[in-house]
Amino acid sequence: MQFFKAFAVILAMAVAMGVTILIMVKGDGLLSMVPLFAYLVGFIYAFAKYGCLVEEEH
């Protein structure tokens, strides 16, 4: 079950990064960079909370 949860998170992050890149390409100026910064903040938060920084209980 953990594999499917991890796969879903990675897939959602890939879609979010694709949308972010499309917004950056279509937009102009600094405003088009806002989704990139939001994505990076979300990625760092998710990595810190659920990634390999969390100690697992055995």
Side-chain angles (χ1 to χ4, degrees), residues 9-48:
V9 168
I10 294 296
L11 190 63
M13 288 173 54
V15 169
M17 188 58 163
V19 169
T20 300
I21 290 172
L22 283 176
I23 290 172
M24 285 173 42
V25 169
K26 296 284 184 184
D28 56 345
L30 191 60
L31 190 59
S32 66
M33 295 290 288
V34 171
L36 177 66
F37 295 136
Y39 173 80
L40 289 176
V41 168
F43 173 75
I44 291 170
Y45 173 76
F47 183 78

